[in-house]
Amino acid sequence: MPATLDAIDRKILKELQDDGRMTNVELARRVGISAPPCLRRVRALEEAGYIKGYRALLDEKMLGYEVVVFAFVHLSSQAESDLNAFEAFVRAQPLVRECWMLSGEIDFVLKCVAPDLKTFQAFVEKLTAGPNVRNVKTSLTLRQSKDAAMVPM
């Protein structure tokens, strides 16, 4: 796969991002090429890492996760081994949906979901006791103003 994408590759990525369940025949029709080269291009995009995978986007509230909270974590050490230990700890926590390492005063921001505040409070106690955690501050979300899971194409 070339380092740069051509217009057809970009169309393929946009279409798949909009609807990852469409058939290869439909995808080929939408991007204006025949099905066999379309499939070859999709496979090449997958192998090159442009397409990381396919999944369904679930509604967390309908599944009982009513609480969405951001947790701001300050570690006691930023040594690489301590950062790795904290990241391994976070990856094992099912309530953490996203974890981002930041520059500045706060080391990590976590997007967390929970069915209720009691469950989240129990998680905060566990998080506070996590490896190298100095302190944790949280912000409860009131509403979501935007949810764009897609890359701008």
Side-chain angles (χ1 to χ4, degrees):
M1 174 61 62
T4 58
L5 302 172
D6 67 14
I8 293 173
D9 291 331
R10 290 188 178 281
K11 284 181 188 175
I12 288 171
L13 292 173
K14 182 193 178 313
E15 292 296 334
L16 284 176
Q17 193 169 238
D18 290 344
D19 180 5
R21 294 187 64 188
M22 80 176 77
T23 65
N24 182 60
V25 171
E26 176 61 17
L27 177 60
R29 186 191 68 72
R30 289 186 188 188
V31 300
I33 61 177
S34 63
C38 184
L39 185 57
R40 283 193 297 275
R41 283 176 176 259
V42 169
R43 287 187 178 146
L45 290 165
E46 291 168 346
E47 289 171 13
Y50 289 99
I51 299 172
K52 296 192 310 185
Y54 301 89
R55 65 181 74 165
L57 298 174
L58 307 180
D59 187 308
E60 57 210 13
K61 297 217 184 298
M62 288 186 72
L63 293 167
Y65 291 93
E66 294 292 328
V67 177
V68 179
V69 181
F70 287 93
F72 305 93
V73 180
H74 186 195
L75 300 182
S76 57
S77 166
Q78 288 74 34
E80 194 63 31
S81 61
D82 294 332
L83 295 171
N84 291 337
F86 178 75
E87 289 174 325
F89 168 79
V90 167
R91 280 193 292 275
Q93 305 305 313
L95 296 183
V96 177
R97 304 314 314 142
E98 296 180 37
C99 175
W100 293 84
M101 187 161 78
L102 305 176
S103 64
E105 251 181 75
I106 301 299
D107 296 306
F108 289 91
V109 62
L110 312 178
K111 179 184 176 186
C112 307
V113 297
D116 52 50
L117 286 174
K118 183 178 177 181
T119 302
F120 181 72
Q121 182 58 41
F123 169 71
V124 169
E125 291 173 15
K126 187 176 183 180
L127 178 60
T128 302
N132 308 301
V133 173
R134 178 179 288 168
N135 63 48
V136 176
K137 295 180 181 178
T138 61
S139 290
L140 179 66
T141 64
L142 300 178
R143 72 173 169 228
Q144 184 178 55
S145 300
K146 183 176 181 179
D147 181 18
M150 298 185 218
V151 176
M153 292 299 298

